[in-house]
Amino acid sequence: MDTSKKPLNIGIIGFGPFSQFLTKTMIKQGHVVRATSRSDYSAHLGANFFRDMEEFMGLEHDVIMICTSILSVSEVVKSIPFHCLKKPTLFADVLSVKEHPRQILLQEVPEDSDVVCTHPMFGPESGKNGWNGLNFMYERVRVRDEDLCSSFLNIFESEGCKMIEMSCEEHDRLAAQSQFVTHTIGRILSEMQITNTAIDTKGFEKLVQVKENTANDSMDLYSGLFIHNRFAKQQMENLESALERVKGSLEARMKKEDGHK
Ligand code: NAP
């Protein structure tokens, strides 16, 4: 039997907007999803929700996905009652920074359980029409049960994601100059309250899209991208100094033009 097609028992810790979005596809694929979270989502359709963390951890899980905010992951993982686990389990996180959860999971997850760190490079907005062609980054951090890990990764591969195996360090280096800069520009555009006009260029339409794609993400998520990615500070400084240089060159040109008058 092709083990990658076997339905998985998937436990989710942190049932916010992103994991609810992932849950829809996992259920569609036939997996069993059970979730727990700080807030009460018992009324949510689809996944079975458990308020009690010990009861949740005592279920038969193949995979436990950590889907909490970046800012809370340390506190949340440290509070997991691992002693309630029925069997060795694959722990997979989906946080948008990677070195930080990698370090926490290696420190906290029992030695007989495996760890894979992942980052689906899309969200409820960019993935609303399916995941085909969207990037999915992962690092097999501590994997002994290769079949189980492959079955988990197959959730994304079978939807057409472009699977990219990469170290968490490399991810954070690249994401600081791509995702973090995109979010920052989106937030700046939002502060400027830019909106579509009757005479939009294609370029401007794309800028409005950048603003809208980032507007729905929480401030917790954006702050996490900055605070827990050691490469982000440098990118923020690069942005500031680039704006100063661009402004400086315009001012110098204006002075020169004024001098010709
Ligand atoms: P988020 O604001 O980053 O995280 C919300 C989740 O964190 C909720 O489950 C919330 O629990 C939990 N949480 C927040 N503070 C907590 C605390 N002090 N203690 C316990 N739990 C806490 O929003 P998100 O968009 O759902 O993202 C979830 C994770 O997925 C993040 O790590 C994010 O980086 C990653 N991710 C998001 C996207 C995206 O497009 N949104 C894409 C890829 C990866 P309650 O809801 O129970 O309060």
Side-chain angles (χ1 to χ4, degrees), residues 15-86:
F15 203 46
F18 186 59
S19 56
Q20 290 182 26
F21 160 73
L22 295 180
T23 294
K24 282 188 225 144
T25 299
M26 296 191 295
I27 288 176
K28 182 196 81 182
Q29 292 182 358
H31 302 294
V32 176
V33 179
R34 288 158 318 190
T36 188
S37 206
R38 172 184 60 169
S39 310
D40 185 2
Y41 292 98
S42 330
H44 187 272
L45 301 171
N48 302 317
F49 187 80
F50 291 80
R51 287 226 66 177
D52 185 70
M53 184 69 122
E54 294 209 351
E55 191 190 348
F56 169 84
M57 286 299 283
L59 303 166
E60 289 269 346
H61 299 290
D62 297 309
V63 184
I64 292 185
M65 287 174 69
I66 309 292
C67 304
T68 53
S69 67
I70 299 166
L71 297 182
S72 68
V73 68
S74 172
E75 184 194 332
V76 170
V77 173
K78 285 184 177 147
S79 71
I80 296 175
F82 290 105
H83 63 273
C84 299
L85 273 180
K86 284 255 166 43

Side-chain angles (χ1 to χ4, degrees), residues 49-50 53 99 143 192 199 227 254:
F49 187 80
F50 291 80
M53 184 69 122
E99 287 192 304
V143 174
M192 291 169 66
I199 52 165
I227 296 168
M254 192 151 78

